[in-house]
């Protein structure tokens, strides 16, 4: 019985490799077979070979995974800090509820709650020649805008904000250069005007989430921005009081446009979609805020910009420079 078992074929699994071999009839034969090299017909070596192959493969995969992890860690480290220049990015910011802050274009401390109680009906009645020129210039610009956009207020708001974000930047830049030339402070007006430009740009970033401009509307933005920037730049150099009055009237028109926008939202002519996430964080709106809430706070911002620019124009009309009157920093 034992000799039959010794002579039978045995299926061996060595290191995951199946080997069919006959059992040696004696310990000496088994030792001799095991001692022979694999290429010479040895039978014990392939098992070790398979174990080595499996071990090598396992080690290789482990090393590859370790290298991938190290590479990922290096990439993350490179994003967080540039060791050569020594500029370290701040740690991950969080909201008041502890969730991660995902915006890099503005920080939690730059957000605010809009003052929607501001008087929207204020209007500067043009009396002087410059005021009348400013008023009718703005009115003449409204006519082609009404024809082009009609009641597509999402695209209209987008176009409006690409223009409204220019004056603050131009005025702040020119005051900055004047401050450098004359070695004098600006009374905070540089910061005020740049804050206005940034706020208007955030309006644009918000409406880009709502309206998808067509190619010809993008081309129109480039054209209008180029013309308006240069025109306002020259206007501010020649007469700051005229330039600020123009912006004041532009903001009055913006209030009117957003009021019409709200009417269409309330009437159901425009879908009152959920507010974009960027708007909820920027204006500290509730999580269930809608487009109507966004338009309401944007309109309030425009009313504040109206007041600031009419106020700046009045300062010049009284024969003073802006630096002589403290700027309303953070008024919006």
């Amino acid at each position: 019985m034992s000799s039959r078992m010794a002579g039978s074929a045995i299926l061996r699994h060595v290191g995951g490799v199946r080997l069919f071999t006959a059992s040696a009839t004696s310990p000496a034969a088994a030792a001799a077979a095991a001692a022979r090299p694999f290429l010479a017909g040895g039978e014990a070596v392939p098992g070790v070979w398979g174990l080595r192959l499996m071990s090598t493969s396992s080690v290789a995969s482990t090393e590859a995974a370790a290298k991938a992890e190290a590479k990922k860690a290096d990439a993350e480290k490179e994003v967080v800090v540039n060791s050569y220049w020594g500029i370290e990015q701040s740690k991950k910011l969080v909201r008041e509820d502890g969730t991660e802050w995902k915006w890099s274009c503005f920080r939690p401390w730059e957000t605010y709650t809009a003052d929607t109680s501001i008087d929207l009906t204020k209007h500067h009645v043009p009396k002087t020649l410059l005021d009348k020129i400013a008023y009718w210039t703005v009115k003449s610009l409204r006519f082609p805008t009404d024809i082009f956009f009609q009641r597509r207020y999402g695209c209209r708001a987008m176009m409006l904000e690409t223009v409204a974000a220019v004056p603050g930047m131009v005025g702040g830049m020119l005051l900055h250069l004047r401050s450098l030339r004359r070695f004098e402070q600006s009374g905070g007006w540089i910061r005020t005007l740049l804050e206005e430009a940034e706020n208007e740009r955030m309006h644009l970033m918000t409406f880009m989430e709502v309206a998808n401009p067509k190619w010809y509307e993008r081309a129109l933005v480039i054209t209008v921005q180029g013309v308006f920037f240069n025109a306002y730049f020259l206007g501010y150099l020649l007469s700051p009081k005229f330039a600020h009055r123009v912006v004041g009237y532009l903001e009055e028109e913006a209030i009117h446009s957003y009021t019409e926008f709200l009417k269409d939202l309330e009437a159901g002519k425009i879908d009152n979609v959920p507010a974009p996430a960027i708007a909820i964080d920027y204006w500290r709106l509730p999580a269930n805020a809608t487009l109507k809430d966004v338009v309401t706070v944007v309109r309030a911002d425009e009313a504040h910009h109206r007041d600031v620019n009419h106020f700046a124009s009045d300062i010049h009309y009284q024969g003073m420079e802006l630096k002589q009157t403290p700027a309303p920093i953070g008024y919006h």
Side-chain angles (χ1 to χ4, degrees), residues 137-291:
T137 298
V138 173
K139 284 295 184 182
S140 65
L141 293 175
R142 179 180 170 180
F143 179 71
T145 304
D146 288 342
I147 294 177
F148 186 82
F149 291 104
Q150 297 181 0
R151 300 194 71 84
R152 294 185 297 123
Y153 285 108
C155 294
R156 187 190 186 105
M158 178 202 66
M159 172 63 72
L160 177 66
E161 299 302 343
T162 61
V163 173
V166 171
M169 179 60 66
V170 173
M173 175 187 68
L174 290 176
L175 289 181
H176 173 73
L177 295 176
R178 177 180 295 178
S179 176
L180 297 178
R181 290 195 308 271
R182 298 185 178 182
F183 305 97
E184 62 185 18
Q185 51 85 20
S186 69
W189 281 95
I190 295 174
R191 180 177 174 182
T192 296
L193 295 178
L194 293 181
E195 278 183 352
E196 176 186 313
E198 174 64 12
N199 182 246
E200 298 285 9
R201 192 185 66 84
M202 288 303 299
H203 293 177
L204 175 62
M205 296 299 102
T206 298
F207 285 113
M208 285 295 293
E209 300 290 327
V210 178
N212 186 20
K214 299 179 175 60
W215 68 268
Y216 57 85
E217 291 172 334
R218 292 177 179 270
L220 181 62
V221 167
I222 295 174
T223 303
V224 171
Q225 187 183 80
V227 173
F228 184 72
F229 176 90
N230 289 284
Y232 191 80
F233 179 84
L234 293 175
Y236 203 98
L237 286 176
L238 296 174
S239 177
K241 61 184 175 183
F242 170 75
H244 282 293
R245 192 69 80 198
V246 167
V247 178
Y249 287 132
L250 278 174
E251 299 295 356
E252 290 184 17
E253 289 299 323
I255 294 170
H256 172 76
S257 295
Y258 285 120
T259 299
E260 294 297 312
F261 197 167
L262 285 172
K263 288 180 180 178
D264 280 7
L265 283 167
E266 292 169 353
K269 296 180 181 179
I270 300 176
D271 292 336
N272 191 23
V273 298
I278 191 171
I280 292 176
D281 285 337
Y282 185 68
W283 284 284
R284 300 178 185 173
L285 297 174
N288 60 347
T290 62
L291 179 58

Side-chain angles (χ1 to χ4, degrees), residues 78-91:
E78 185 177 354
V79 171
V80 173
V81 58
N82 187 317
S83 59
Y84 180 77
W85 298 109
I87 299 176
E88 295 187 7
Q89 296 181 354
S90 58
K91 297 180 180 179

